[in-house]
Amino acid sequence: MSKNVTNMVAWFVIAVASLVFTCESAAQSTSYEEIEWIQLMPKDDLDALLNPPEYLEEIVDGSEQDTLNSLDAKPFDNEQDKRYQQALSSVRVIESYNNKKLRIPGFIVPLESEEGKRISEFFIVPYFGACLHMPPPPNQIIYVKFDQGVDLKSLYDAFWFEGTLTINTVENELGTSAYQLKLDNVLPYED
């Protein structure tokens, strides 16, 4: 091979390697860590919620007793029950998720919409029906303000949400969130 051809091949290899490195860097900068909801909750909060007071089994879903207000009015007899009550309203977060790009599945609880069509402000919650009678704890609710809005045909629709998570408590009459998401993408949920 001539020296010119060898130099051209070397430059080509360097250019391709640079392009691959640049593409990999770009892919990494826009990649999202997929997480599960319980990862946003301190372990001791999760442990407390997994050990509810026995009397809760007697409460009928949707009844007057099936609300946080009713639960707050009840005196707790032991430390385990007190800890359960504290976990229900916990704003304690996992600091390592602050400013982290992530992907999480969830449902939308609308807070504000444009002319009733596109939802521009909402909570993301882990399950359908959250925020009705027994809302999830604030460390299981994510607040979003998304100027582009999201088309929501049904509250039953689940989505994947991608963006940068920050630690920020937002209170609304429908609930309190301990996290906020700067939303990049909303995709229909598919397993």
Side-chain angles (χ1 to χ4, degrees):
M1 263 206 246
S2 74
K3 190 174 182 179
N4 285 342
V5 172
T6 304
N7 285 343
M8 283 179 37
V9 169
W11 281 107
F12 178 74
V13 168
I14 290 170
V16 169
S18 296
L19 181 61
V20 167
F21 178 75
T22 301
C23 289
E24 285 179 2
S25 296
Q28 288 174 355
S29 69
T30 59
S31 65
Y32 302 92
E33 176 185 346
E34 188 173 310
I35 66 166
E36 296 180 22
W37 281 92
I38 61 172
Q39 291 174 262
L40 296 175
M41 176 184 295
K43 183 178 179 339
D44 59 329
D45 279 356
L46 178 60
D47 291 344
L49 293 174
L50 292 175
N51 294 300
E54 289 181 20
Y55 77 86
L56 288 179
E57 294 174 16
E58 300 167 11
I59 295 176
V60 177
D61 285 345
S63 69
E64 286 184 31
Q65 293 82 28
D66 188 25
T67 65
L68 278 179
N69 289 339
S70 173
L71 190 61
D72 287 343
K74 178 156 179 57
F76 288 101
D77 300 327
N78 61 50
E79 285 303 313
Q80 180 182 347
D81 291 355
K82 287 178 186 175
R83 183 63 189 104
Y84 177 81
Q85 185 179 27
Q86 291 168 347
L88 283 176
S89 58
S90 179
V91 292
R92 295 174 52 228
V93 295
I94 305 299
E95 294 287 336
S96 61
Y97 284 113
N98 194 32
N99 292 312
K100 190 126 187 182
K101 293 178 81 98
L102 62 81
R103 180 177 204 246
I104 192 166
F107 294 87
I108 290 176
V109 175
L111 302 176
E112 187 176 308
S113 62
E114 295 174 9
E115 299 174 17
K117 295 182 181 183
R118 296 181 69 81
I119 310 301
S120 57
E121 188 175 354
F122 54 92
F123 285 138
I124 303 170
V125 294
Y127 52 88
F128 171 75
C131 294
L132 293 178
H133 299 291
M134 290 292 278
N139 58 19
Q140 294 290 278
I141 300 176
I142 300 171
Y143 170 78
V144 175
K145 180 135 176 93
F146 190 55
D147 292 336
Q148 296 168 318
V150 176
D151 284 323
L152 182 65
K153 293 181 175 83
S154 169
L155 293 175
Y156 294 100
D157 293 343
F159 296 92
W160 282 105
F161 300 93
E162 298 174 335
T164 303
L165 191 72
T166 57
I167 295 170
N168 185 29
T169 302
V170 175
E171 292 186 35
N172 181 284
E173 63 190 34
L174 292 178
T176 300
S177 67
Y179 294 99
Q180 185 168 348
L181 186 68
K182 181 179 181 292
L183 192 60
D184 295 329
N185 302 305
V186 180
L187 308 161
Y189 180 83
E190 295 175 5
D191 283 330

